[in-house]
Structure formats: C-alpha cells, structure tokens
C-alpha cells in the first residue's frame, strides 16, 4: 500500500528498523539527541536555522541509508514523501514538540571490556596506597620507652660480639696497654644529651648522687634499675646502676638534672648542657675496651 508520510516519520521508521535508540543514533550521526527528536517530529522551529536544518537532514538521511536528495527536495517543497507501507502495520503518530516531550534515557548495557581501564586504574591506585603504608610502617623510627627496659639483645648478637672480642684479645701482644676510659658528650641540647662511653670493661656502673635538699626521679634502661625507676632524696640520695653485660646503649631518664652528679666507672659525665628544670634524657653509647700497642 502506498502512503504519504512526513520527513520525520520516514526518518524515525528507518531508525527503528535499524534497531537504533536515540543515544545510538546520536553517536552514529554526531547530531545532538535534541535535534534528532526535532527532525523526527518535523519540529523545525527547534533547530537553529534553515542551513542547519538541511545539513542535519542530509547527514541524518545518509547515516540511515536513505536518499538524502529526496529528503532535501521534500523539505524544500514542503511536501511529504510517498513510500510503500505494509498492510499489516498501522502506526499512529502523535507529534510532540521537544520542549513538551520527555524522552527517557536509554539504558545501554556496556560490555565488561568497557570497565577494564577503570578496574586497572583502581588496582594501581590500591597498590600505590599499600606500598606507601608499608613504607611508612617499615621506616617508622622506634621511640624508646622512658620507663621500661625496652632494649633487648639477641643471643646471636652477644655471641658474635664475644667472639669478636676474643679474637681481638688473641691478637694483642703482652706489650699492649689498655686505652684510658673516656666519657665524652657528642650531642647536647637543654633537655637531652648523647654521650660516648669508650674503653670500659664490664661491669660498667653508672653512679648517681643528688645534692642535699634535692628530689630527683631516675630511670635507666638495660640496667639493674627497676622498671619504675627510683627517687633520690635526702634519705637515699645515691644510686648505682649497673649496665647489662654486652649492652651497647642505655637511656637514662631524669625528672630533673639540677643538683645531680653522674659518674661512669668513676669518670664524671658533663651535665652542664642540661639547663632545663624539667625532665631530661641522657643516651649512653657504649664501646668496650680497646688496646694500643
């Protein structure tokens, strides 16, 4: 059966026959969906001008496989297009302007390959985050506990040090003489100092003496001083802390350094840098006896 249809009807029927949704037609023709709807409803007032109307009609018709020249001619003459219509199909068209029409967004099921880049980027970002967290944890400096004895030494390290000391002793001749013990401050602030203890043999005893009228709390790691520390007062103003055999360091924590005297195996430790009246810390770095020929 021969029927006369508008340009919009012909365009829409062809798009429908090709199984294209509005979003797919927009992607195919590079014409905005709003203008596609206007062309299919013959609402040329919604288009920007005559030049664009003809350009869009030509582009849309060609992409749909229609005769573009025939479409343009029908537009110029303001006539419909004669087409062969099937007898068993009856379509009723109700033209609605785009401004009055609500076109539902077509849901397009995208293949799984579409999400591969997003998944890859997410995985890389996650790996970077895990790497950063791991690096921070592994490189986090250990904070010495000022109260408890948190310095532990493995049997392997102690054995290796003893073996090294034994080898050193064997190499010494009978004419060797022991170097003089020294206690020297290597770093100092008003609240903390670091001291190098050299050429001393075990047992290494750190002696504390508080001036009359002073009340000073003393804590010491890697020693026989209790984990809770000890308070020096007029009634008990001295304390001898013996450093654990083989230990290479010890941290002394003081409630105050004012009125306190410290000696290490009889060698005095210079506390003049500790001018604060509050808590202070002393780190002892211990080097065992060396000999010279």
């Amino acid at each position: 059966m021969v029927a006369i249809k508008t340009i919009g009807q012909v365009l829409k029927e062809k798009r429908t026959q090709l199984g294209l949704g509005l979003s797919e037609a927009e992607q195919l023709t590079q014409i905005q969906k709003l203008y596609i709807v206007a062309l299919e409803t013959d609402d040329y007032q919604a288009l920007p001008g005559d030049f664009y109307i003809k350009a869009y009609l030509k582009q849309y018709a060609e992409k749909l496989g229609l005769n573009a020249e025939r479409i343009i001619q029908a537009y110029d003459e303001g006539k419909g297009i004669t087409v062969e219509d099937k007898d068993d199909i009856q379509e009723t068209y109700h033209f609605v302007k785009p401004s009055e029409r609500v076109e539902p967004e077509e849901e397009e099921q995208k293949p799984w390959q579409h999400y591969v880049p997003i998944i890859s980027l997410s995985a890389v970002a996650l790996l970077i985050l895990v790497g950063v967290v791991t690096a921070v944890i592994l490189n986090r400096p250990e904070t010495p506990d000022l109260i408890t004895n948190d310095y532990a030494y493995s049997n392997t390290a102690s054995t290796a040090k003893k073996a090294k000391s034994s080898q050193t002793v064997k190499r010494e001749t009978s004419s060797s003489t022991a170097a003089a013990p020294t206690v020297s401050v290597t770093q100092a602030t008003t609240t903390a100092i670091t001291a190098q203890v050299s050429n001393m043999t075990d047992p290494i005893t750190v002696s504390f003496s508080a001036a009359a009228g002073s009340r000073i709390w003393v804590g010491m790691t890697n020693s026989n001083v209790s984990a809770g520390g000890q308070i020096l007062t007029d009634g008990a103003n001295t304390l001898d802390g013996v450093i654990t055999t083989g230990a290479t360091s010890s941290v002394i924590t003081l409630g105050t350094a004012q009125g306190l005297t410290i000696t290490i195996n009889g060698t005095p430790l210079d506390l003049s840098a500790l001018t604060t009246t509050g808590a202070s810390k002393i780190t002892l770095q211990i080097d065992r006896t060396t000999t010279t020929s």
Side-chain angles (χ1 to χ4, degrees):
M1 181 178 68
V2 177
I4 299 177
K5 297 185 178 181
T6 67
I7 295 174
Q9 290 175 333
V10 173
L11 294 174
K12 183 174 182 179
E13 285 183 0
K14 185 62 176 179
R15 174 177 64 80
T16 304
Q17 290 174 5
L18 294 176
L20 299 175
L22 289 175
S23 296
E24 293 171 325
E26 181 181 46
Q27 186 176 3
L28 174 67
T29 63
Q30 298 302 309
I31 299 174
Q32 294 184 34
K33 188 188 300 185
L34 174 67
Y35 294 149
I36 291 177
V37 173
L39 292 175
E40 291 184 350
T41 57
D42 302 292
D43 183 16
Y44 301 121
Q45 296 297 323
L47 295 164
D50 190 64
F51 172 80
Y52 289 99
I53 294 173
K54 291 183 179 181
Y56 287 157
L57 284 173
K58 183 176 185 299
Q59 184 175 349
Y60 195 20
E62 289 177 348
K63 292 295 183 179
L64 294 179
L66 296 172
N67 188 327
E69 293 183 359
R70 185 180 177 190
I71 296 292
I72 298 299
Q73 181 181 358
Y75 170 75
D76 288 336
E77 295 176 354
K79 297 180 179 179
I81 300 176
T82 302
V83 296
E84 288 289 337
D85 201 4
K86 295 181 180 180
D87 293 337
D88 58 345
I89 298 179
Q90 293 183 352
E91 294 182 326
T92 301
Y93 295 92
H94 176 64
F95 303 112
V96 181
K97 293 183 178 181
S99 59
E100 302 173 353
R101 180 172 181 173
V102 178
E103 186 71 18
E105 289 291 334
E106 299 180 359
E107 294 291 336
E108 298 182 6
Q109 187 69 30
K110 297 180 180 179
W112 66 269
Q113 293 90 342
H114 174 79
Y115 300 97
V116 170
I118 299 176
I119 296 173
S120 300
L121 289 175
S122 300
V124 170
L126 181 60
L127 288 175
I128 292 174
L129 178 60
V130 171
V132 171
V133 172
T134 302
V136 170
I137 293 175
L138 293 179
N139 291 282
R140 183 176 58 187
E142 295 184 0
T143 302
D145 191 335
L146 300 181
I147 301 300
T148 61
N149 297 332
D150 59 351
Y151 290 86
Y153 298 87
S154 66
N155 291 333
T156 302
S158 298
T159 302
K161 183 172 287 293
K162 290 179 181 178
K164 183 177 180 181
S165 299
S166 176
Q167 292 173 1
T168 302
V169 171
K170 289 180 180 179
R171 287 197 299 267
E172 293 177 350
T173 65
S174 59
S175 61
S176 299
T177 58
T182 59
V183 178
S184 57
V185 175
T186 57
Q187 292 181 344
T189 66
T190 59
T191 59
I193 63 173
T194 299
Q196 181 71 38
V197 179
S198 304
N199 308 323
M200 290 192 182
T201 57
D202 291 319
I204 298 175
T205 302
V206 181
S207 299
F208 302 87
S209 178
S214 299
R215 181 181 177 84
I216 303 173
W217 179 85
V218 177
M220 185 174 177
T221 65
N222 292 334
S223 71
N224 63 339
V225 178
S226 64
Q230 184 170 329
I231 297 177
L232 303 181
T233 62
D234 286 341
N237 65 344
T238 62
L239 169 66
D240 287 337
V242 180
I243 296 178
T244 304
T245 300
T248 58
S249 66
S250 178
V251 177
I252 300 171
T253 307
L254 304 174
T256 180
Q258 304 303 308
L260 182 67
T261 301
I262 298 178
T263 61
I264 302 175
N265 278 7
T267 302
L269 173 61
D270 184 6
L271 303 179
S272 60
L274 300 177
T275 58
T276 180
T277 58
S280 57
K281 182 175 71 173
I282 302 171
T283 301
L284 300 180
Q285 296 177 339
I286 303 168
D287 187 10
R288 292 298 187 280
T289 299
T290 59
T291 60
T292 58
S293 300

